[in-house]
């Protein structure tokens, strides 16, 4: 068991006691979908990423009046070299996981489900 000291604080990796963090991820919350639950959805995304050993780089909240909020999030995720997009539910990607899966894995918190990217398979 590893103990935290002033010289060696616990990191998420050490605190979880698991192997290396697997993938870089970006959370995606649409305020127009989540409404007043947007903050709770962002928190649930962070918790899910933590429990599943994703390295959550950032949680994207596109402007509410943006013409293409999914494209906005995908552009940011590509710029951060993320491998996975984490959303609360499929409504945040207009119930169309294929919008994301050309370049990223997609993970939903509720229900917990994963869609693998198709570009990695050479499709």
């Amino acid at each position: 068991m590893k103990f935290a000291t002033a010289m060696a604080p616990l990191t998420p990796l050490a605190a979880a006691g698991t192997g290396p963090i697997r993938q870089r991820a970006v959370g995606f919350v649409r305020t127009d979908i989540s409404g007043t639950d947007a903050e709770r959805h962002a928190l649930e995304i962070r918790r899910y990423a933590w429990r599943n050993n994703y390295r959550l780089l950032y949680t994207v909240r596109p402007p509410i009046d943006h013409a293409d909020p999914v494209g906005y999030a995908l552009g940011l995720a590509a710029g951060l070299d993320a491998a996975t997009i984490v959303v609360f539910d499929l409504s945040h990607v207009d119930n169309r996981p294929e919008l994301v899966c050309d370049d990223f894995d997609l993970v939903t918190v509720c229900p917990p489900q994963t869609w693998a990217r198709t570009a990695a398979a050479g499709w």
Side-chain angles (χ1 to χ4, degrees), residues 2-51:
K2 185 173 182 174
F3 294 97
T5 65
M7 298 300 288
L10 283 177
T11 63
L13 181 60
T18 60
I21 295 176
R22 293 189 300 264
Q23 291 185 354
R24 296 163 57 96
V26 168
F28 176 37
V29 175
R30 287 178 57 180
T31 306
D32 59 324
I33 303 283
S34 293
T36 58
D37 290 325
E39 194 63 39
R40 181 178 63 85
H41 288 175
L43 178 61
E44 290 297 326
I45 287 170
R46 284 192 299 272
R47 286 180 180 161
Y48 184 90
W50 175 272
R51 283 191 308 260

Side-chain angles (χ1 to χ4, degrees), residues 52-119:
N52 291 282
N53 292 327
Y54 287 100
R55 181 177 174 202
L56 190 64
L57 304 171
Y58 187 74
T59 299
V60 182
R61 290 189 191 181
I64 199 162
D65 60 346
H66 197 278
D68 183 12
V70 176
Y72 182 94
L74 295 179
L76 189 79
L80 292 171
D81 198 29
T84 303
I85 307 288
V86 184
V87 295
F88 184 75
D89 59 31
L90 275 182
S91 63
H92 291 264
V93 291
D94 300 327
N95 295 308
R96 296 179 56 204
E98 68 272 11
L99 295 175
V100 175
C101 291
D102 280 343
D103 298 308
F104 305 94
D105 293 338
L106 175 67
V107 175
T108 56
V109 173
C110 184
Q113 196 165 4
T114 302
W115 287 264
R117 80 184 80 197
T118 57

